Amino acid sequence: MNINDELITKAYEFVKKAHNVYLNGHKQAYFPVLVGMPPFAVSDNGGHNPDAVLIAIYKLHKENNDAKYNDGFQDGLLSLIERLSTVQSLLVIYTYLNYQLEYEDKGIATFTVDKDLIVNKLKEKMDSFKDNKEMYDCYINILGKLKEKYNV
């Protein structure tokens, strides 16, 4: 990933704010940062940059691995799955999950997520989209890629 320092700094500040809210008991605090809802969009050329957000989470976790940034990130992913309604939002989940599992697979992850829990939640949510061919096909494609790459 080649991301400029300005984006990472912006993401770092947003994640810190979300994490403080998370620590006060709001399990879905990471949702706006992960999806890039204004004013939490970490953007370059108009699009949200999940890579910068994940780098910021890793950086903060490395600075203080007792602060539960890993839990906030995982709960954020679960919140994304709960609110899933579009192909675009599914692709955002895939982006985060793919990078996280790639880091874990390469042994460079500073924390892990419960990938079985996350994939099972995705599978449960998939059933609600059987009548939406575009969404269902995207699910099948993404789950197939995750299974092929990471055996989940």
Side-chain angles (χ1 to χ4, degrees), residues 66-135:
D66 292 330
K68 301 185 182 219
Y69 285 96
N70 54 325
D71 292 342
F73 175 61
Q74 180 170 300
D75 284 340
L77 288 176
L78 294 171
S79 178
L80 283 170
I81 293 167
E82 284 175 28
R83 297 174 179 202
L84 188 61
S85 62
T86 65
V87 169
Q88 183 61 32
S89 55
L90 179 58
L91 295 175
V92 168
I93 293 167
Y94 174 72
T95 299
Y96 284 114
L97 191 54
N98 185 55
Y99 279 124
Q100 176 63 29
L101 296 179
E102 182 179 325
Y103 291 172
E104 289 180 22
D105 197 46
K106 289 180 178 178
I108 59 173
T110 61
F111 60 82
T112 60
V113 295
D114 186 341
K115 60 186 171 192
D116 292 331
L117 171 67
I118 293 168
V119 170
N120 285 336
K121 291 291 183 186
L122 272 173
K123 287 177 181 176
E124 288 172 17
K125 187 72 173 185
M126 183 176 73
D127 289 339
S128 67
F129 289 103
K130 284 190 175 179
D131 293 337
N132 181 335
K133 181 168 177 31
E134 179 186 24
M135 192 75 163

